[in-house]
């Protein structure tokens, strides 16, 4: 409880403080009640017409008193209660204010509040410090007036400025200058093609800054957003290192089409969260509803994620290095039954399936399984009865006891990340340089599985003249991923279906026996390499204050290389030398490449103006176009000659029957493009009444020429109740409280070409 808690009187207190004093007698009676002074005041209020205000920092309201008056005037009772204190009371109609004896009479105080540039601040809060019920809001000229005790201190506050305490003293007029709070002024939200003060945002927009992300030691940015924003759902779908770890859905799936992913823009250029270095991120905004994201039209049917990366700061060069070492463990992993229990269940399942009384796991084999588990025998299987040179099938004759889930996957997985950045510059030019390395091990115990990511970026901002500024941003990313070829989407389920606990891991000679393990370890490898190069140029011209002309030119080049091979694997015979059962008789190799050129241009202008010192307006209009050209080629060939170096050139093209098979070759070129015109109008009155209108007119090459263009509008209105005068008593606790409504329409061009 705040020690300076003041009893709330309502808006009438202000009128009392400005008015003349008058006394109206009223007699009451009490029956010898022992109460605290606070309870006594409440008792008097309950039986009289008066409302009593006091400051707990001036009066000990826990002091014990006795109310035992009979038909006595309320004001006389109050005088008796205040004996021995340093307080007196003043009365106006039905209000009583208790103040210190040395307080001067209530006085009228006027004043003007301005910023450092001498401009009046409209809507600033002025309250009596310690009593939030006495206050005022400045008008369009920055003026205020209210009635306060002579020894009062005023507390002046406004969003974006430091709160200031101003003693009244013997003054009747105050000239107050508020200083800007740079941290609060920076509290803006990135929106489509610009930013807005957080207090003026109407659309459903969530944001998170770098401070909230830095504390999360996870390898993927999408994981960092988990639990940070309402309406944003992130589902973990892959434990493979280097892969997109999370599927992001913004308010579910609201449209048909290809993969319903949100549009991710990194500094205005489409990208992926998984390719970003967390240490380079300054803030992330998520546009959740149609009203907020309609400025992007048909590109954003599933919402928009706007990522802003860090930029340089003027000053001496600062070098920052940070690292992260992580150990993760799989959770909710299944486990296998022991072989004996598995065999009993298998027999029961066979009988319940109507396969007759045949005992699928024979009594002889069950005894063998029990002896193996007890250590009485050491052979995991037996030779084939009709061919003793080969080991028997593991499904029908094996007596091993293996939990293959535990065998295939590690208990702990290690990852480490290193980031170094350099920032600095002058008031004319600033730079930010960074480099990052992320190395991750995979969860698979058998075969190679790992990923490496290398990132380098540079951002330079320069003020060429008073009206022209430029910014250049480049980012290079390379990621490598390696895994066994047989590690596919169905592998996890196949362990439960095909890796029975009775199936031997090693044959009695100690040589690998299980076909799944053999294929995972020696049956081929899959490699992926992705390389991205981003180039962005921004030119901003501000010919007059508030009017900007902006041009953004962006280019992205992406190449992908993929390789996979299937190699022949085999079991070993009973003699430990000859080949047994064989898999992948037709060894095969695949090589493929993909390249894309993406161009994006944004040309737009905005103008911000304040009219009559209370009406704030900003208009935006622009054009955006993008084109993506891509091509790919891939080839597959049978008959790998040398398993240690499987390539197209080291393959014969012959199948296992020595028949020539032509290589499988495919490739193609394609492209798509979009273009759109967009506009936005923002208006607010004293940051209380808010309006926003967005317009987007889009065309996409993915549709026929007669159905190519669409119009997508949105409108939002809002009321910031926290800026109203009647909200002053709770403004310290709740500084923003908005009621809003919006309507928006979005297109969807996320389909095939």
């Amino acid at each position: 409880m705040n020690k300076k808690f003041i009893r709330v009187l309502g808006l009438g207190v202000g009128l009392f403080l400005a008015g003349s004093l008058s006394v109206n007698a009223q007699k009451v009676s009490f029956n010898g009640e022992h109460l605290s002074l606070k309870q006594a005041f409440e008792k008097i209020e309950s039986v009289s017409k008066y409302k009593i205000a006091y400051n707990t920092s001036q009066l000990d309201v826990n002091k014990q008193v006795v109310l035992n008056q009979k038909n006595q005037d309320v004001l006389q009772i109050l005088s008796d209660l205040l004996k021995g204190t340093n307080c007196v009371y003043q009365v106006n109609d039905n209000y009583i204010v208790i103040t210190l004896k040395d307080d001067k009479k209530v006085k009228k105080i006027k004043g003007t509040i301005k910023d450092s540039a001498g401009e009046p601040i409209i809507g600033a809060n002025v309250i009596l410090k310690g009593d939030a019920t006495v206050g005022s809001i400045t008008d369009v000229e920055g003026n205020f007036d209210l009635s306060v005790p002579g020894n009062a201190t005023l507390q002046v506050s406004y969003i974006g400025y430091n709160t200031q305490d101003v003693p009244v003293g013997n003054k009747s007029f105050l000239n107050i200058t508020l200083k800007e709070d740079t941290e609060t002024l920076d509290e803006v939200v990135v929106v489509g093609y610009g930013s807005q003060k957080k207090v003026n945002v109407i659309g459903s927009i969530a944001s998170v800054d770098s401070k909230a992300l830095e504390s999360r030691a996870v390898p993927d940015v999408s994981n960092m957003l988990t639990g940070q924003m309402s309406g944003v759902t992130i589902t973990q779908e892959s434990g493979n290192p280097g892969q997109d770890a999370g599927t992001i859905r913004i308010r579910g799936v609201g449209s048909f089409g290809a993969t319903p992913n949100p549009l991710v823009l990194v500094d205005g250029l489409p990208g992926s969260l998984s390719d970003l270095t967390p240490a380079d991120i300054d803030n992330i905004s998520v546009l959740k509803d149609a009203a907020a994201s309609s400025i992007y039209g048909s590109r954003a049917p599933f919402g928009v994620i706007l990522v802003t990366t860090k930029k340089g700061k003027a000053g001496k060069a600062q070098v920052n290095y940070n690292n992260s070492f992580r150990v993760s463990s799989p959770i909710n992993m299944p486990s296998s039954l022991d072989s004996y229990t598995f065999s009993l269940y298998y027999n029961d399942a066979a009988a319940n399936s109507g396969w007759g009384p045949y005992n699928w796991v024979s009594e002889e084999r069950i005894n063998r399984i029990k002896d193996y588990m007890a250590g009485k025998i050491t052979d995991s299987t037996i030779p084939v009865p009709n061919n003793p040179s080969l080991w028997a099938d593991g499904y029908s004759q094996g007596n091993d006891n293996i939990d293959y889930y535990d065998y295939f996957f590690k208990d702990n997985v290690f990852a480490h990340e290193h980031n170094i950045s350099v920032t600095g510059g002058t008031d004319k030019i600033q730079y930010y340089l960074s480099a990052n390395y992320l190395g991750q091990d995979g969860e698979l115990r058998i075969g190679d599985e790992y990923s490496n990511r290398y990132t380098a970026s540079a951002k330079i901002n320069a003020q060429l003249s008073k009206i022209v500024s430029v910014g250049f941003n480049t980012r290079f990313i390379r990621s490598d991923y390696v895994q066994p070829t047989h590690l596919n989407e169905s592998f996890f389920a196949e362990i439960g279906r095909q890796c029975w606990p009775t199936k031997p891991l090693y044959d009695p000679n100690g040589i690998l026996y299980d076909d799944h393990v053999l294929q995972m370890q020696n049956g081929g490898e899959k490699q992926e390499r992705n390389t991205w190069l981003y180039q962005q140029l921004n030119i901003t011209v501000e010919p007059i204050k508030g009017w900007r002309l902006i041009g953004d030119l962006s280019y992205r080049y992406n190449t992908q290389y993929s390789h996979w091979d299937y190699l022949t694997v085999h079991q070993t015979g009973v003699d430990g030398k000859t080949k047994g059962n064989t898999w992948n008789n037709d060894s095969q190799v695949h090589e493929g490449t993909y390249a894309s050129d993406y161009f994006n241009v944004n040309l737009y202008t905005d103008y911000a103006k304040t009219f009559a010192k209370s009406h704030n307006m900003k208009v935006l209009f622009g054009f955006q176009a993008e084109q993506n050209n891509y091509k790919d080629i891939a080839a597959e060939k049978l008959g790998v000659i040398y398993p240690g170096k499987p390539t197209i050139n080291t393959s014969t093209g012959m199948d296992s029957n020595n028949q020539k098979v032509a290589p499988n070759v495919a490739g193609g070129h394609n492209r798509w493009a979009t273009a759109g015109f967009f506009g936005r109008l923002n208006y607010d009155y004293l940051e209380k009444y808010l309006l926003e209108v967005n317009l987007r007119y889009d065309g996409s090459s993915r549709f026929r020429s007669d159905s190519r263009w669409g119009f997508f509008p949105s409108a939002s209105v809002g009321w910031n109740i926290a800026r109203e005068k009647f909200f002053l008593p709770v403004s310290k606790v709740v500084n923003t409280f908005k009621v809003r409504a919006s309507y928006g329409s979005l297109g969807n061009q996320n389909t095939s070409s």
Side-chain angles (χ1 to χ4, degrees):
M1 181 71 70
N2 191 326
K3 293 183 178 179
K4 294 186 177 181
F5 170 77
I6 308 297
R7 295 287 308 280
V8 177
L9 299 178
L11 297 177
V13 174
L15 298 174
F16 154 68
L17 292 172
S20 59
L21 305 181
S22 63
V23 177
N24 297 304
Q26 182 181 8
K27 295 183 179 182
V28 294
S29 298
F30 298 102
N31 299 318
E33 299 177 70
H34 293 264
L35 305 168
S36 68
L37 194 56
K38 176 183 177 182
Q39 292 172 327
F41 291 155
E42 293 173 348
K43 196 75 174 178
I44 292 173
E45 287 181 336
S46 67
V47 298
S48 71
K49 64 181 181 180
Y50 294 111
K51 297 295 181 182
I52 304 172
Y54 52 85
N55 191 325
T56 55
S57 66
Q58 300 174 347
L59 183 64
D60 181 9
V61 294
N62 294 318
K63 175 184 176 182
Q64 295 297 307
V65 296
V66 179
L67 288 179
N68 194 27
Q69 295 80 1
K70 303 295 183 184
N71 197 30
Q72 192 168 350
D73 180 31
V74 169
L75 299 181
Q76 181 57 51
I77 296 174
L78 204 56
S79 296
D80 294 340
L81 292 176
L82 294 177
K83 286 181 180 179
T85 69
N86 193 34
C87 293
V88 295
Y89 64 85
Q90 299 181 57
V91 183
N92 182 38
D93 294 333
N94 297 336
Y95 297 98
I96 299 174
V97 176
I98 298 174
T99 60
L100 294 175
K101 289 180 180 178
D102 56 359
D103 277 1
K104 297 179 180 179
K105 295 291 185 179
V106 173
K107 61 184 296 184
K108 190 89 167 179
I109 185 73
K110 295 184 178 181
T112 300
I113 300 175
K114 298 181 179 180
D115 61 19
S116 56
E119 293 293 326
I121 298 178
I122 306 168
N125 292 330
V126 185
I127 63 172
L128 176 63
K129 187 174 182 180
D131 188 350
T133 63
V134 179
S136 178
I137 293 179
T138 55
D139 59 20
V140 294
E141 300 293 336
N143 297 324
F144 71 92
D145 66 84
L146 70 163
S147 299
V148 295
N151 66 342
T153 296
L154 301 183
Q155 189 172 80
V156 183
S157 62
Y158 187 70
I159 294 174
Y161 294 82
N162 292 317
T163 300
Q164 188 172 332
D165 291 343
V166 182
V168 173
N170 58 2
K171 298 177 182 178
S172 59
F173 190 89
L174 297 173
N175 283 306
I176 303 171
T177 300
L178 290 184
K179 295 182 178 180
E180 295 177 346
D181 182 348
T182 55
E183 290 187 5
T184 305
L185 284 177
D186 288 338
E187 192 175 359
V188 297
V189 176
V190 177
V191 298
Y193 302 101
S195 61
Q196 294 179 8
K197 290 175 66 175
K198 194 172 185 178
V199 69
N200 290 338
V201 170
I202 317 176
S204 183
I205 301 176
S207 63
V208 60
D209 60 19
S210 59
K211 293 181 180 179
L213 300 177
E214 288 170 356
S215 61
R216 297 195 162 197
V218 294
D220 191 89
V221 174
S222 61
N223 294 143
M224 289 183 168
L225 297 179
T226 302
Q228 293 280 354
M229 305 173 183
S230 62
V232 180
T233 304
I234 300 173
T235 305
Q236 183 84 16
E237 291 192 348
S238 173
N240 296 342
Q243 307 300 298
D244 288 343
T247 297
I248 302 176
R249 297 290 178 265
I250 299 175
R251 292 187 171 179
V253 178
S255 179
F256 68 89
T259 306
N261 292 328
L263 173 66
V264 178
L265 297 176
V266 182
D267 292 329
L269 185 60
S272 169
L273 293 180
S274 296
D275 300 331
L276 291 172
T277 300
D280 287 343
I281 296 175
D282 183 54
N283 63 75
I284 299 176
S285 292
V286 178
L287 313 184
K288 297 190 288 186
D289 65 355
S293 55
S294 65
I295 193 77
Y296 292 104
S298 63
R299 304 168 72 209
F302 307 106
V304 184
I305 298 177
L306 303 174
V307 181
T308 304
T309 60
K310 293 178 180 178
K311 62 181 180 179
K313 297 180 180 179
K316 293 183 178 180
Q318 294 183 358
V319 180
N320 295 288
Y321 168 77
N322 58 69
N323 57 46
S324 175
F325 300 92
R326 312 158 189 149
V327 177
S328 58
S329 302
I331 62 172
N332 299 330
M333 292 291 289
S335 59
S336 297
L337 294 171
D338 65 84
S339 293
Y340 175 71
T341 307
F342 174 84
S343 300
L344 298 180
Y345 271 100
Y346 194 86
N347 280 342
D348 289 344
N352 292 335
S353 297
W355 295 351
Y358 176 76
N359 194 0
W360 287 85
V361 182
S362 67
E363 184 176 352
E364 179 273 330
R365 187 183 175 196
I366 289 179
N367 289 331
R368 215 174 350 111
I369 290 171
K370 291 170 64 177
D371 289 344
Y372 183 87
M373 292 176 60
K376 295 180 181 180
I377 61 174
T378 58
D379 287 350
S380 57
T381 188
I382 61 174
V384 178
N386 298 329
N387 187 2
S389 65
L390 298 177
W391 295 114
D393 174 63
Y395 293 107
S396 62
Q397 295 295 341
N399 49 260
D400 210 335
N401 185 38
I402 302 293
D403 185 340
Y404 277 95
Y405 281 108
D406 183 63
Y407 180 78
F408 274 115
F409 297 101
K410 301 174 184 176
D411 294 329
N412 298 293
V413 180
F414 179 70
H416 59 113
E417 184 172 8
H418 306 267
N419 189 84
I420 186 169
S421 63
V422 182
T423 182
T426 66
D427 58 342
K428 297 295 184 182
I429 184 169
Q430 303 88 41
Y431 60 87
Y432 178 86
L433 311 172
S434 73
N436 173 273
Y437 168 75
L438 172 63
Q440 295 176 265
D441 291 336
E443 296 180 357
L444 193 66
R445 193 191 304 274
I446 307 302
D448 289 332
E449 186 192 17
Y450 61 88
S451 77
N452 294 306
R453 187 189 69 195
Y454 310 88
T455 304
S457 64
K459 181 180 281 190
I460 300 174
N461 298 93
Q463 189 73 40
L464 300 184
S465 68
K466 290 184 178 180
I467 66 171
V468 180
S469 62
V470 298
F472 177 74
N473 183 15
T474 182
R475 190 166 69 254
F476 171 83
I477 305 168
R478 169 167 288 176
S479 66
D480 296 314
Y481 175 57
V482 174
Q483 70 168 50
T485 305
H486 290 270
L487 183 60
N488 51 38
E489 294 180 355
S490 62
F491 171 70
F492 192 85
E494 290 299 310
I495 296 176
R497 293 183 62 250
Q498 299 189 15
C499 294
W500 297 2
T502 59
K503 191 179 176 187
L505 177 59
Y506 294 94
D507 67 22
N509 291 324
I511 302 173
L512 270 179
Y513 171 93
D514 181 78
D515 56 317
H516 289 80
V517 178
L518 284 168
Q519 291 183 87
M520 198 64 64
Q521 181 164 291
N522 303 317
E525 189 173 77
K526 180 180 180 181
Q527 303 171 9
E528 291 181 2
R529 167 167 286 183
N530 282 280
T531 304
W532 293 266
L533 178 63
Y534 295 84
Q535 307 277 355
Q536 296 174 268
L537 176 66
N538 169 272
I539 301 175
T540 301
V541 180
E542 190 171 4
I544 61 175
K545 185 179 180 180
W547 179 33
R548 299 188 306 164
L549 301 168
I550 303 166
D552 287 324
L553 303 176
S554 303
Y555 170 72
R556 182 188 69 206
Y557 183 67
N558 172 223
T559 61
Q560 299 177 20
Y561 166 75
S562 65
H563 166 97
W564 53 256
D565 54 81
Y566 283 106
L567 303 179
T568 302
V569 296
H570 59 81
Q571 291 174 337
T572 305
V574 174
D575 62 3
K577 298 178 182 179
T578 58
K579 292 182 180 180
N581 294 320
T582 302
W583 293 271
N584 305 333
N585 286 316
D586 290 327
S587 58
Q588 186 179 9
V589 64
H590 165 97
E591 305 261 349
T593 62
Y594 166 95
S596 71
D597 289 286
Y598 173 84
F599 300 89
N600 189 344
V601 58
N602 289 280
L603 303 173
Y604 57 100
T605 181
D606 60 25
Y607 180 67
K609 182 70 175 177
T610 298
F611 300 94
K613 300 180 181 180
S614 57
H615 302 272
N616 302 302
M617 186 181 72
K618 186 175 183 179
V619 292
L620 166 78
F621 178 76
F623 169 78
Q624 182 267 335
E626 61 182 341
Q627 179 173 292
N628 190 63
N629 307 301
Y630 58 93
K631 55 187 176 181
D632 58 30
I633 187 169
E636 297 173 10
K637 194 175 181 182
L638 297 178
V640 176
I641 300 172
Y642 175 45
K645 194 67 175 176
T647 67
I648 296 294
N649 284 346
T650 55
S651 301
T652 64
M654 308 290 288
D655 64 15
S656 57
N657 297 317
N658 287 323
Q659 297 295 315
K660 190 71 174 179
V661 178
N664 183 15
V665 181
H669 294 197
N670 211 327
R671 70 179 180 183
W672 56 263
T674 68
F677 299 89
F678 56 88
R680 179 170 60 222
L681 168 67
N682 295 96
Y683 168 80
D684 75 82
Y685 174 71
L686 296 177
E687 295 185 341
K688 288 194 282 189
Y689 313 115
L690 313 169
L691 170 68
E692 179 175 316
V693 177
N694 288 279
L695 305 173
R696 179 87 185 201
Y697 186 59
D698 260 350
S700 172
S701 67
R702 289 181 167 137
F703 302 100
R704 295 183 358 167
S705 59
D706 59 347
S707 304
R708 183 162 290 169
W709 290 87
F711 180 62
F712 312 108
S714 74
S716 308
V717 294
W719 176 29
N720 190 354
I721 301 174
R723 305 302 295 154
E724 298 289 354
K725 186 174 182 179
F726 63 76
F727 204 80
L728 277 174
V730 293
S731 60
K732 285 187 177 181
V733 180
V734 181
N735 58 14
T736 301
F737 178 37
K738 276 183 266 187
V739 176
R740 58 187 178 84
S742 66
Y743 167 82
S745 173
L746 285 171
N748 183 4
Q749 64 105 30
N750 292 342
T751 183
S752 65
S753 297

